[in-house]
Amino acid sequence: MATDYLLPDLGEDIEEAEVIAVHVHAGDRVERDQAVIEVETEKANLDVPAPYAGAITAVHVSVGDTIRPGQAIVAIEAEEGVKPSSPAVSMTPPAASAPPAIEPDAAPPAPPAAAPAPPPAAAARPPGAATPVLPSDGGLVPASPSVRMFAREIGVALGEVAGTGPGGRVSIDDVKAHARLMRSAAAPAEAPEAPRRGAAPAPSALPDLSQFGEVERERMSGVRRTTARTLSQSWAQSPHVMLQRKADVTELEAIRRANRERVAAAGGQLTMMPILLKVVAGALREFPRLNASIDVASEEIVYRRYVHVGVATDTDHGLIVPVVRNADEKSITQLSIEIGELVGRARDRKSTLEDLRGGTFTISNLGGMGIGFFNAVLLPPQVGILAVGRAEQEPVWTGSEFEPRLRMPLAINFDHRLIDGADGARALAWICETLEQPQPYMLEEFPESETGAED
């Protein structure tokens, strides 16, 4: 008998995805883990694999459909001896960050004031239910896709819910009971919660533009929707401060040109980006607050012990920021190779979620487009971003004469809630001075050499 296969939890709090390819038809035979559809999420494109081998008896989705975890996508008749299942596991590793905070205003209404709140133990599980069991190994919380979707919709973090099912499996009743507990635990005299500080204002309705002439509508892609939401949140929540300075990269450019072929032979491309990334990674170690984040709910600063630097990348389908992990531990040659691979996958729409997760700081380089200084927007929960412009020859007074020098405009944007102006100035000065005196970074890897051939 055929069984509907439900879209699994896609991870990273992804609530919906758009079908961009259907790889099977009714009557096709599939192997376990064979891709049945491809979806575009707000973070990356993903193949959805078959959970077991069998025959496709029906396809429930089409290209262009928007689907959610827990929704049927195909019907599969399992081969003889294969037990059908529709696992509710995440397709991606669980995020390292803490679960999202519960929003009290999204929970069900509190019981009437006349009814006393039940004791936590009684409310946490229905009568006769087994003792709740929570996962002890830090793994995924066992729950069906429909339960996960319901918990997301009412703002409950599954990791905080006591499951009463076999092996600690969480049911919808468990989620509702937990939401009621959280609501009843609030002080009765507490005033209604005001809108969250820093929350982006609700978008206003667009006027009817067709009254002025012909219009055409196009649905925003998942990448564009994510960009709009994330940057609106950043601009509303983080007080941005920008500092600017030019770095003299004359000597650095000479070393770069002299070693391009060496790096090309290793499979990389020695542009300014891997050099900038190496220097910025050093700055994040020198100024750890630039590598940190703010936990507003607990009023704590979270210092990361790792350095993962994002590279803002222009693609045909929008802005993508692939992340170079542990950038401070890699050579410039290694960074140049990895940047090329990450950017290539981003532009080919082949980025994985792992390519895009965990960034601690971002570099945005518009120098190749002829841009000088510009203002970049932070990517929350990061508190810093470096904007890099086009380096140009400028006359510089040496004390006795003007000398042509190659100078690169740099601007650092930071979250003033965590980074003071003087701290930001010191960090930018450190980056500029390191670029101007590159030997400690460059000569660890490249021998001192004469200026290479002109570009």
Side-chain angles (χ1 to χ4, degrees), residues 241-260:
V241 174
M242 179 176 66
L243 301 178
Q244 301 175 335
R245 177 167 166 171
K246 287 186 176 181
D248 187 329
V249 294
T250 308
E251 280 75 23
L252 179 61
E253 175 65 2
I255 298 174
R256 185 191 71 83
R257 291 181 178 179
N259 289 279
R260 285 178 301 182

Side-chain angles (χ1 to χ4, degrees), residues 83-360:
K83 183 179 180 181
S85 63
S86 187
V89 297
S90 172
M91 295 173 61
T92 58
S97 58
I102 294 176
E103 296 294 339
D105 57 349
R125 58 183 183 273
T131 301
V133 179
L134 288 176
S136 59
D137 58 355
L140 291 172
V141 177
S144 69
S146 59
V147 171
R148 294 176 182 276
M149 181 170 63
F150 176 72
R152 281 195 297 269
E153 288 175 347
I154 69 170
V156 169
L158 277 180
E160 300 175 0
V161 179
T164 60
R169 190 173 184 83
V170 177
S171 68
I172 285 182
D173 287 338
D174 295 331
V175 175
K176 291 178 179 178
H178 182 80
R180 286 194 294 269
L181 276 176
M182 297 302 298
R183 191 72 170 182
S184 63
E190 185 178 0
E193 184 183 18
R196 287 177 294 164
R197 288 176 294 175
S204 56
L206 188 71
D208 181 13
L209 303 181
S210 62
Q211 62 182 311
F212 307 113
E214 184 179 355
V215 299
E216 179 181 352
R217 286 182 173 267
E218 177 186 24
R219 178 174 170 79
M220 294 171 69
S221 67
V223 171
R224 179 56 56 194
R225 293 197 300 270
T226 301
T227 301
R229 183 178 65 252
T230 301
L231 297 188
S232 294
Q233 173 194 343
S234 173
W235 196 254
Q237 176 176 311
S238 304
H240 287 53
V241 174
M242 179 176 66
L243 301 178
Q244 301 175 335
R245 177 167 166 171
K246 287 186 176 181
D248 187 329
V249 294
T250 308
E251 280 75 23
L252 179 61
E253 175 65 2
I255 298 174
R256 185 191 71 83
R257 291 181 178 179
N259 289 279
R260 285 178 301 182
E261 293 184 4
R262 180 196 303 267
V263 175
Q269 185 177 3
L270 188 56
T271 63
M272 275 292 180
M273 181 55 80
I275 300 171
L276 285 163
L277 203 149
K278 179 72 173 178
V279 172
V280 164
L284 297 179
R285 285 298 187 196
E286 190 74 16
F287 302 92
R289 283 203 172 192
L290 274 177
N291 201 50
S293 286
I294 300 174
D295 187 338
V296 176
S298 65
E299 297 184 335
E300 294 177 323
I301 301 171
V302 181
Y303 291 95
R304 299 178 179 88
R305 302 303 183 193
Y306 51 88
V307 175
H308 300 342
V309 182
V311 178
T313 302
D314 176 49
T315 73
D316 292 340
H317 49 287
L319 174 66
I320 304 292
V321 186
V323 176
V324 179
R325 315 185 88 75
N326 302 310
D328 57 322
E329 301 174 4
K330 296 174 180 176
S331 69
I332 293 173
T333 298
Q334 290 173 324
L335 293 173
S336 68
I337 295 171
E338 187 167 345
I339 290 171
E341 293 172 348
L342 287 169
V343 169
R345 287 200 293 271
R347 289 178 174 160
D348 292 338
R349 306 185 76 165
K350 297 298 183 183
S351 294
T352 65
L353 286 179
E354 194 66 15
D355 287 344
L356 309 176
R357 299 169 66 220
T360 64

